Amino acid sequence: GIQVEQSPPDLILQEGANSTLRCNFSDSVNNLQWFHQNPWGQLINLFYIPSGTKQNGRLSATTVATERYSLLYISSSQTTDSGVYFCAGRSGGTSYGKLTFGQGTILTVHP
Amino acid sequence: GAVVSQHPSRVICKSGTSVKIECRSLDFQATTMFWYRQFPKQSLMLMATSNEGSKATYEQGVEKDKFLINHASLTLSTLTVTSAHPEDSSFYICSASQLTGNQPQHFGDGTRLSIL
């Protein structure tokens, strides 16, 4: 299966700062998703972005499939953005859709 | 749309008990559902792929007799942890896709299982 690596593992920000989270994957993917896991464990689906760029409010994401990476941008961070951010990819060779998760980025936003 | 409901959200039970967790796709049909496990401060690890009307596919190292999966309809998959022990305590999350192929996966809210 594919390997998914996220960086940085930990990120501490002051409220209002911008940040970029990165996800590298070892093989081509036909599904790439970004999630925010809140303190209760719920996985919030941020983006489904196998390629291209999408924006949703203060968040945006870009996937460059040919170079096997994806970026998640958080602008004007707020304390409620704190939590763990995961990216997960599905290899193009996988026939039944299982996702492989990265190890996550723990984001802490201080007021 | 594309809501996945998981129940129960939390279970606390004694060692040796069997626990059933349900995963339902509320507004779409899912021929395939997935079961993940997450230990504290770790990522999600796929346990098995649940296929409607056929046997589940288990990942390496996951005991199929320990974690029974049933996917009897296009909207319901169940995971039963049989004879649970404290080391089975974990956070279990299911997901489903609307179609096979290039569709996002939608996740339930997870079940926190604590075995005493």
Side-chain angles (χ1 to χ4, degrees):
Chain A
I2 65 169
Q3 307 297 316
V4 180
E5 291 184 5
Q6 288 186 245
S7 60
D10 297 276
L11 185 58
I12 300 174
L13 299 175
Q14 208 65 32
E15 198 169 31
N18 302 329
S19 62
T20 301
L21 281 59
R22 186 177 179 103
C23 176
N24 291 332
F25 32 94
S26 61
D27 200 353
S28 61
V29 294
N30 60 21
N31 179 352
L32 193 288
Q33 291 181 248
W34 282 97
F35 301 91
H36 175 210
Q37 189 169 39
N38 65 22
W40 297 272
Q42 294 173 316
L43 275 179
I44 310 302
N45 197 344
L46 299 176
F47 293 103
Y48 166 65
I49 187 166
S51 63
T53 297
K54 291 185 178 180
Q55 180 158 6
N56 185 2
R58 296 182 296 104
L59 303 181
S60 63
T62 295
T63 296
V64 184
T66 53
E67 297 187 22
R68 301 180 183 174
Y69 73 88
S70 183
L71 302 174
L72 176 70
Y73 305 97
I74 304 175
S75 64
S76 303
S77 58
Q78 301 176 358
T79 56
T80 51
D81 294 332
S82 296
V84 185
Y85 289 80
F86 289 105
C87 69
R90 180 178 65 210
S91 168
T94 303
S95 61
Y96 48 83
K98 64 179 183 179
L99 286 177
T100 299
F101 279 75
Q103 289 304 304
T105 293
I106 302 173
L107 175 64
T108 304
V109 181
H110 289 302
Chain B
V3 177
V4 174
S5 173
Q6 189 172 338
H7 178 79
S9 58
R10 183 172 181 97
V11 179
I12 302 173
C13 58
K14 294 181 179 179
S15 186
T17 307
S18 291
V19 178
K20 180 185 283 188
I21 303 170
E22 293 187 347
C23 181
R24 294 180 184 273
S25 56
L26 295 187
D27 50 2
F28 66 98
Q29 293 183 332
T31 54
T32 305
M33 292 184 174
F34 304 89
W35 289 97
Y36 296 83
R37 180 168 54 185
Q38 184 181 31
F39 291 108
K41 299 190 185 301
Q42 294 188 22
S43 186
L44 281 76
M45 296 297 294
L46 181 68
M47 298 175 64
T49 302
S50 171
N51 304 297
E52 187 268 336
S54 64
K55 291 182 179 180
T57 304
Y58 290 82
E59 296 299 301
Q60 191 172 10
V62 178
E63 301 175 56
K64 55 184 69 176
D65 293 332
K66 175 75 168 176
F67 299 99
L68 301 179
I69 291 173
N70 184 280
H71 193 157
S73 78
L74 287 172
T75 59
L76 174 63
S77 176
T78 61
L79 168 69
T80 300
V81 183
T82 61
S83 187
H85 288 94
E87 58 266 28
D88 298 322
S89 299
S90 189
F91 190 58
Y92 295 85
I93 312 178
C94 70
S95 72
S97 294
Q98 290 181 270
L99 297 168
T100 55
N102 299 342
Q103 294 290 333
Q105 285 192 21
H106 305 280
F107 285 77
D109 286 344
T111 297
R112 197 164 301 280
L113 176 62
S114 299
I115 308 298
L116 305 178

